[in-house]
Each structure stands twice: as structure tokens, then as C-alpha cells.
Amino acid sequence: MSPAPASVTLPPSCLDPPPLDGVDGVCELRKMYFKPGLRGLGAGTALIARCLHAARRLGYRQCYLETLTGMDAAQALYERAGFQRITQAMGATGHFGCNRFYLRAL
């Protein structure tokens, strides 16, 4: 696995994915944003792979994330990484503005 580019700060949720509150065995991928100049370079793919590796190492069975309608490039990235769209939110994330939900087996 290649390291993340030097200009990308790894979010804490990548290095130590937090549990999804209220759901055993599931972690939450949070706060994954890239500046426009970093998009399309494979950094998102590498970062998700690193996050999922950490989640597996910590014993999680699934990874969950939330996003918004209109974040088409992000949703395509998540789907390429094996996330599947689900119909409703899971757990108690506290993110009330999100309306798209994804889950991936680890």
C-alpha cells in the first residue's frame, strides 16, 4: 500500500476508526475531504484502503459512512471501494444533514 501524499493529513478516523455509536462491530469513516487539486490522483482510493486496513486490524466487521446528495464523485469513489448504498442511517452519528448512507463488509 502506498503512503498518502505528503500534502494530505490523515484524519483520526483513518488511523483509529471510531465505533459507530449503537452498532456493534461497525466503525464509521468520517471527514474525508480533498482539495480540488488533489482529486483524481488516487489519493482518495489510497486513503480509503488505509482506513479499511486499520478497521480490519482493530477487529471491526463493517465500515459505515454518510454523505450528501450531489457528492457524486465521492459516492463513485465509495462504490469503487466496495461500499454499497443502504436505504437508511445506522447508529447515532450526530450528522443530521447527510442523506446518503453506505456500508461495506470488512
Side-chain angles (χ1 to χ4, degrees):
M1 176 180 328
S2 59
S7 58
V8 174
T9 301
L10 295 175
S13 68
C14 181
L15 302 174
D16 187 15
L20 180 58
D21 192 24
V23 185
D24 289 335
V26 180
C27 65
E28 182 184 7
L29 182 62
R30 300 182 194 161
K31 308 292 184 203
M32 196 169 131
Y33 305 108
F34 286 91
K35 292 181 179 183
L38 291 174
R39 296 176 189 160
L41 302 176
T45 300
L47 186 57
I48 286 178
R50 196 168 193 168
C51 294
L52 296 176
H53 176 75
R56 277 187 214 96
R57 182 180 44 79
L58 292 168
Y60 291 109
R61 295 184 312 273
Q62 294 178 302
C63 185
Y64 170 78
L65 65 86
E66 298 180 347
T67 190
L68 300 167
T69 300
M71 302 289 288
D72 299 330
Q75 290 173 48
L77 172 65
Y78 303 144
E79 290 171 6
R80 282 193 310 274
F83 283 87
Q84 295 182 345
R85 190 165 166 203
I86 59 175
T87 58
Q88 62 186 28
M90 291 176 63
T93 64
H95 311 148
F96 302 107
C98 295
N99 60 2
R100 296 281 171 101
F101 315 102
Y102 287 84
L103 187 64
R104 184 192 193 280
L106 299 173

